[in-house]
Amino acid sequence: MSRDTLHRPEPVAGKGPGPAPRARPRRACGTGARRARAAAAFLLPFLALFALCFLAPIGYALHQSLFTTERTGPLGLGGREHDVFAGLANYTHALSDDRFLTGFGRVLLFGAVQIPLMIVLATGLALLLESASARGVAFFRTAFFLPYGVPGVIASILWGFLYVPGISPLVKIAGTLGWDVDFLSRGTVLWSIANIVTWQFTGYNMLVLIAQLKAVPGELYEAARLDGASAWQIARHVKLPLIRPALVLTCVFSIIGTLQLFAEPMVLRPLASAIDSGFTPNLHAYSEAFVGNNQHVAAAEAVLLALVACVLSFGFLRLVGGRGKERR
C-alpha cells in the first residue's frame, strides 16, 4: 500500500467523492479582473493621446472634406456663410485640378531619383564606417549626421545662399570656368531641392543602417574571413542581406517624407520663379487653405495625399516582402 493511499480520506458510506472546492477558481477570477483593470488603467493615457493626436485630426479632415461653404450674399460676396454637405465634390475638384496633379507627378519623379540615390549613399557610408580598416569613425559619423540636426527651413536658407546668382560662390566659380549655371531655373530647381534633402537626411539613414550592422554577430564576419572572403564579398554577401530590414525601413520613411515635401520649396519660392503654389501637393493644399480660403478642398487634398502615402508605403512593403519570401 502506498503512502498516498494511507493519507487519502475514506469516502462516506453511501456517497461518492464530492466535487473539488471552488474557492481557488474564484480567487483566480478575482486576480484576473484586477490585472485587466490595471492593464486598462495603464493603457488609458495612451489611448486618450492616440485618439486626441492621431484619430481626431484625421476624422476632422475627413469631415471637412465632405462639406463646402455657401455664402448668401449677392455673387457669393458678403452675407452669411454656412457649411453644406457636398459629398465627394471636393475630391472631384482636387482630382480635376491640373496643378495639383502636376505637383503629384513632380514629387513622384523627385522620389524616384532622390530616394535611391540617398539610400545608396547612406549604405556606402555605413559600410565604410563599419569596415575593419575604418579610421576616425566617431568623427565622421558625427559629421555625416550633423546636417540632420539642422531644421529644414534653415537648411533651405543656407543652400539658398549657394544657389542665388550674384552671391553664390558656386555660381561664381562655375562662371570663371565658362559654365552658365542657374540652380533655380525651371529645369534645375527640383534637383537643387533634392540636393538639400539628400544633404540633410543621408546621415540619419546612415545611422539606422549602422545600428543594424552592429546587431550582426561578429562571428559571421570572422567565419567569412576564414573562408577567404574579401572585404567586398563580406559586404555583398553577408552585410547587405543582413541589413535588409533596415534598408526597407529607411525606404518607407523616405517615401513618406518625399510626399511631405513642403519646407524646402516654400523657402526657395521667393528666390525661384519656377516654384509656384502647385509645385508640390502639400504646397497646393496650403495655398488652398490659407490663400484661397478653401479649407474644404484643402482637406480633401490632404486626405488624398495620405491615401497615396499609404498605398505607396504598403505597396513597397508588400513588394519587398514578396521578393523576400521567394528567396527563401
Side-chain angles (χ1 to χ4, degrees):
M1 183 178 293
S2 66
R3 185 179 298 176
D4 295 340
T5 306
L6 290 174
H7 292 283
R8 185 178 302 166
E10 292 294 334
V12 179
K15 295 183 180 179
R22 296 181 180 274
R24 182 166 298 175
R26 287 178 183 172
R27 188 177 302 168
C29 290
T31 304
R34 283 196 298 273
R35 288 179 178 175
R37 286 196 295 271
F42 280 112
L43 284 174
L44 193 59
F46 164 75
L47 294 176
L49 289 175
F50 182 76
L52 180 65
C53 301
F54 187 78
L55 297 180
I58 294 177
Y60 187 67
L62 283 170
H63 174 267
Q64 289 291 311
S65 68
L66 299 176
F67 286 82
T68 188
T69 301
E70 283 190 356
R71 297 173 176 85
T72 57
L75 301 177
L77 301 174
R80 296 180 57 186
E81 294 182 356
H82 62 281
D83 293 341
V84 296
F85 184 73
L88 299 178
N90 292 322
Y91 293 93
T92 305
H93 176 81
L95 292 175
S96 60
D97 191 328
D98 290 338
R99 289 195 308 159
F100 182 64
L101 297 179
T102 304
F104 254 119
R106 187 178 291 113
V107 165
L108 292 178
L109 174 64
F110 177 94
V113 176
Q114 189 268 337
I115 292 176
L117 178 65
M118 180 178 63
I119 297 301
V120 169
L121 191 57
T123 305
L125 291 175
L127 292 175
L128 285 175
L129 291 180
E130 285 301 303
S131 63
S133 59
R135 298 289 182 273
V137 173
F139 169 77
F140 286 108
R141 190 187 302 159
T142 305
F144 293 143
F145 180 72
L146 203 56
Y148 181 71
V150 180
V153 174
I154 303 300
S156 302
I157 294 173
L158 294 176
W159 278 99
F161 290 134
L162 299 177
Y163 289 158
V164 176
I167 62 174
S168 168
L170 300 179
V171 175
K172 290 180 181 177
I173 293 173
T176 56
L177 296 176
W179 298 337
D180 185 14
V181 177
D182 185 359
F183 294 108
L184 301 175
S185 67
R186 187 169 297 277
T188 58
V189 67
L190 183 65
W191 311 119
S192 298
I193 295 173
N195 174 61
I196 298 174
V197 176
T198 305
W199 174 79
Q200 195 174 9
F201 289 97
T202 298
Y204 169 79
N205 292 318
M206 178 200 71
L207 275 193
V208 174
L209 298 176
I210 286 177
Q212 183 75 44
L213 281 171
K214 287 189 176 300
V216 177
E219 292 81 4
L220 293 178
Y221 302 148
E222 190 63 29
R225 292 190 193 97
L226 292 176
D227 289 339
S230 64
W232 165 250
Q233 289 172 326
I234 293 175
R236 170 71 178 81
H237 299 289
V238 178
K239 293 182 177 180
L240 286 179
L242 291 176
I243 64 171
R244 188 170 178 271
L247 287 171
V248 172
L249 180 69
T250 53
C251 286
V252 171
F253 284 168
S254 300
I255 290 172
I256 297 172
T258 297
L259 291 172
Q260 294 176 350
L261 193 64
F262 177 77
E264 291 82 2
M266 188 70 179
V267 173
L268 294 179
R269 188 177 174 186
L271 307 177
S273 59
I275 301 177
D276 56 12
S277 62
F279 193 76
T280 68
N282 271 330
L283 204 56
H284 192 273
Y286 173 84
S287 300
E288 286 282 357
F290 300 108
V291 179
N293 197 23
N294 196 351
Q295 69 272 20
H296 300 293
V297 174
E301 292 180 352
V303 172
L304 289 173
L305 190 60
L307 286 176
V308 172
C310 287
V311 169
L312 291 180
S313 301
F314 286 106
F316 178 77
L317 287 175
R318 188 177 180 83
L319 177 67
V320 297
R323 289 184 178 179
K325 290 179 181 177
E326 289 176 0
R327 289 177 182 174
R328 293 173 191 171

